[in-house]
Amino acid sequence: ISDIVIGSCMLIGFAPIMLLVALLVKLDSPGPVFFRQKRHGFNNQVIRVWKFRTMRPDRKAEEGDIRQVTSDDDRVTKIGRILRKTSLDELPQLFNILLGEMSLVGPRPHAIGMTTEETEVHELVSDYAHRHRVKPGLTGWAQINGSRGPVHTAEEVRERVRLDMEYVNRASFWFDLYVMLMTAPCLLGDSQNDR
C-alpha cells in the first residue's frame, strides 16, 4: 500500500521535473528518451527497469550485454552526467513501482549478466540470491550507506550484498520510511561514487 500511495504522490509531484528531463535528454543527443534494461526482480524474475537514457543508445546493453560505468566514461552524454550525479535518471522507475515490479525501498536491481573482475556478480557471494527475497527498490539501505553505482571489485560486491541482506532482515514500514527520508541528502552529498 505504501508503494502505491507514496509512489503515486511522487509520480504526480515529480511529473514536471520528469517532463523537463525528457525534453533535455531528447535535445542533448539522438535516440530514445527512456532506457529499459533487463534486471533481476523479486524471486529472480526478469523485469525491465525504466530509466532516463544517460548514454548513447546501446541495444546490447538493454538486453544485458553490459559494461559498468567508469569515471569519465565517454558513453555518457552531457545531460546524462547531471542526471546520473543527481539520480534523476532513476525517476521513471516509479512506473515499475506502480506496476508492482519494484518497491520504493529494497536492494537495487542489478542488470542481468553484470560482471565484476570478469566474473558474474552472483558467483562472487554465496548468498547473493537471497537479496531477491524482496522486491528490488528505487533506493535502499546500501545506497544510503555509500554503496551505490557500479561495483568494480569483488569486495564492493560483497559489501553491497552485506548491506542488502541487512535490509532484508530488518525490513519494516518505519525502516523503509527512514531509508526514503535519508536518500536525498545521502545522494546529493555523494561526490565520490560513479553513477
Side-chain angles (χ1 to χ4, degrees):
I1 292 171
S2 62
D3 284 340
I4 299 300
V5 173
I6 298 172
S8 297
C9 292
M10 287 178 69
L11 187 58
I12 292 166
F14 282 112
I17 294 170
M18 291 174 71
L19 287 170
L20 177 61
V21 168
L23 179 63
L24 291 173
V25 169
K26 201 66 182 164
L27 292 174
D28 184 48
S29 64
V33 169
F34 297 107
F35 174 75
R36 291 182 62 214
Q37 187 176 55
K38 287 183 180 178
R39 297 196 180 190
H40 293 285
F42 179 64
N43 278 341
N44 218 26
Q45 292 178 336
V46 176
I47 60 173
R48 286 254 186 199
V49 172
W50 289 80
K51 294 181 72 167
F52 284 116
R53 183 177 57 80
T54 59
M55 298 178 154
R56 293 190 310 272
D58 184 351
R59 187 54 135 169
K60 288 182 180 178
E62 288 187 22
E63 296 303 318
D65 181 13
I66 64 162
R67 178 169 54 103
Q68 293 192 67
V69 176
T70 57
S71 296
D72 301 320
D73 197 311
D74 64 354
R75 298 172 298 163
V76 179
T77 64
K78 284 180 273 188
I79 192 67
R81 292 200 187 288
I82 297 167
L83 297 179
R84 295 176 81 88
K85 186 82 172 160
T86 58
S87 291
L88 290 173
D89 61 318
E90 311 285 354
L91 286 177
Q93 288 165 40
L94 290 168
F95 295 116
N96 290 105
I97 292 166
L98 296 179
L99 289 169
E101 298 170 331
M102 290 178 62
S103 273
L104 288 165
V105 181
R108 287 290 297 145
H110 289 169
I112 292 173
M114 188 172 91
T115 60
T116 296
E117 297 178 348
E118 299 182 18
T119 303
E120 286 201 31
V121 291
H122 67 86
E123 295 177 10
L124 295 172
V125 185
S126 60
D127 57 352
Y128 181 84
H130 293 297
R131 68 193 299 280
H132 300 131
R133 293 188 312 202
V134 297
K135 286 182 183 179
L138 179 62
T139 187
W141 184 239
Q143 282 61 47
I144 68 167
N145 281 284
S147 180
R148 58 187 153 269
V151 283
H152 297 294
T153 67
E155 189 52 44
E156 288 176 341
V157 174
R158 290 186 191 100
E159 177 63 6
R160 170 85 49 90
V161 173
R162 184 190 71 76
L163 290 165
D164 287 342
M165 291 310 301
E166 198 172 304
Y167 168 77
V168 169
N169 294 324
R170 293 176 61 186
S172 72
F173 172 77
W174 296 110
F175 190 46
D176 283 4
L177 196 57
Y178 172 76
V179 172
M180 283 186 264
L181 292 172
M182 293 303 296
T183 294
C186 287
L187 289 180
L188 296 176
D190 179 12
S191 59
Q192 296 183 349
N193 287 298
D194 293 329
R195 283 185 269 164

